[in-house]
Amino acid sequence: MKDKLLPVTSIMNGSIQEVTDTLFSYTNQVVNVCFYISAEQEWVLIDAGMPHSADAIRKAAKKQIGSDHPPQAIILTHGHFDHVGAVEELAQCWNVPVYAHEKELPYLTGERNYPEPDTSVEGGWVAKMSKMFPNEGIDISKQIKQLPEDGSIPVMQGWKWLHTPGHTPGHISLYNDTNQVLIAGDAFVTVKQDSLFKVTMQTQEVHGPPRYLTTDWNAARQSVEKLRDLQPDIAITGHGIPMGGDDLKAGLNQLVTRFDQIAIPDYGEYV
Ligand SMILES: [Zn+2]
Ligand SMILES: [Zn+2]
């Protein structure tokens, strides 16, 4: 499974968007990774893309930073295959620590696998296709570190991590209170991840976490409420185009008030 190049992509593949003057979102096939670049040119990679994307991520980072010096750290929102695809290779070649939430560590140290994707879940063709998605945990025990308990994030001044479980047990989001910028991972996304057409075209709308891999819908609901209460001004999510302003606020409000209809599938293994 791990050696397969997955045949999913989007019109945003390869593009880099400047979200703030220190934060850039780079789309790798259908998933976003972020580059945080400080004024001193120290940088952090947030999430690590699809399988086989190490070269593409290195190239994109070099383009944005202007040199190929390694980051200070890699931060993972969670350990799903589409967020850790290149992490083994990158952490090794850069020789940098990888940070994740304590509850995500078993999936990153070879101890546990994620549950199988729920191909029976309401969610059309992408849910059906999800049987091709690897659910095996990876083993990066040598590089992995637990995030600082005080909520801070290495190098990322002014940023805090928040535990936003549901999609996975140790899922985190990253938030900067000063400019109200949110990196939400898969706690919610800005594209209907069930729809291959919408994924390909990256149609912008606020949705709950990708269904075929979400196992705890109660926790997922609470996490979305927590993020809505922050009233973020801009959000970069794991999938979809970064969103901001009133569209984001209205979308999040609607997702919270209609979570049962919008996010929770009508049928599926984990409902
Ligand atoms: Zn995920
Ligand atoms: Zn994802």
Side-chain angles (χ1 to χ4, degrees):
M1 271 303 188
K2 267 194 179 154
D3 292 330
K4 251 195 208 143
L5 195 65
L6 291 161
V8 281
T9 194
S10 72
I11 54 165
M12 295 299 286
N13 181 33
S15 75
I16 301 176
Q17 296 203 61
E18 180 174 348
V19 178
T20 71
D21 54 358
T22 50
L23 193 64
F24 303 84
S25 169
Y26 159 64
T27 308
N28 175 239
Q29 290 181 242
V30 294
V31 70
N32 300 320
V33 309
C34 297
F35 307 132
Y36 167 86
I37 308 169
S38 77
E40 295 77 33
Q41 295 295 99
E42 286 191 327
W43 73 284
V44 171
L45 176 70
I46 299 127
D47 281 349
M50 296 285 278
H52 305 285
S53 64
D55 282 346
I57 291 175
R58 262 192 302 251
K59 232 179 257 167
K62 186 177 175 185
K63 189 169 155 197
Q64 198 54 54
I65 295 149
S67 93
D68 53 10
H69 70 275
Q72 313 298 117
I74 301 171
I75 314 286
L76 298 176
T77 60
H78 63 303
H80 279 154
F81 76 96
D82 51 335
H83 299 253
V84 300
V87 78
E88 280 178 276
E89 195 178 329
L90 291 177
Q92 252 175 39
C93 91
W94 283 332
N95 192 23
V96 293
V98 181
Y99 290 89
H101 190 274
E102 186 186 4
K103 291 205 165 132
E104 208 70 359
L105 298 185
Y107 307 97
L108 300 165
T109 52
E111 257 170 78
R112 293 189 70 174
N113 293 330
Y114 290 105
E116 300 264 341
D118 180 5
T119 53
S120 73
V121 75
E122 179 201 2
W125 208 74
V126 177
K128 301 278 171 291
M129 203 168 77
S130 68
K131 65 169 173 293
M132 296 170 63
F133 299 167
N135 67 310
E136 296 92 357
I138 58 169
D139 185 1
I140 47 167
S141 334
K142 283 200 190 105
Q143 286 90 11
I144 197 75
K145 281 187 160 51
Q146 201 176 310
L147 281 157
E149 268 171 41
D150 62 2
S152 66
I153 305 171
V155 185
M156 296 178 69
Q157 290 269 339
W159 287 78
K160 292 270 182 196
W161 62 266
L162 297 114
H163 189 204
T164 45
H167 182 61
T168 67
H171 188 287
I172 61 148
S173 303
L174 291 72
Y175 191 61
N176 186 329
D177 206 21
T178 314
N179 53 8
Q180 287 156 294
V181 177
L182 173 68
I183 300 170
D186 285 355
F188 69 91
V189 296
T190 60
V191 65
K192 188 166 195 202
Q193 194 67 9
D194 292 350
S195 157
L196 193 63
F197 175 76
K198 288 182 175 176
V199 167
T200 308
M201 299 310 292
Q202 296 282 287
T203 314
Q204 212 178 30
E205 49 194 38
V206 174
H207 277 277
R211 286 173 165 174
Y212 41 87
L213 292 170
T214 300
T215 46
D216 184 342
W217 285 101
N218 277 330
R221 176 203 305 272
Q222 284 165 19
S223 292
V224 167
E225 282 172 7
K226 198 193 249 185
L227 297 178
R228 189 274 315 261
D229 291 347
L230 296 171
Q231 294 281 302
D233 202 39
I234 303 175
I236 307 176
T237 59
H239 307 273
I241 298 171
M243 215 166 156
D246 291 342
D247 284 352
L248 174 65
K249 290 196 172 83
L252 270 173
N253 273 332
Q254 210 195 52
L255 180 61
V256 167
T257 46
R258 301 189 60 235
F259 195 79
D260 292 330
Q261 293 92 326
I262 299 174
I264 301 181
D266 287 339
Y267 51 88
E269 248 179 272
Y270 305 116
V271 182

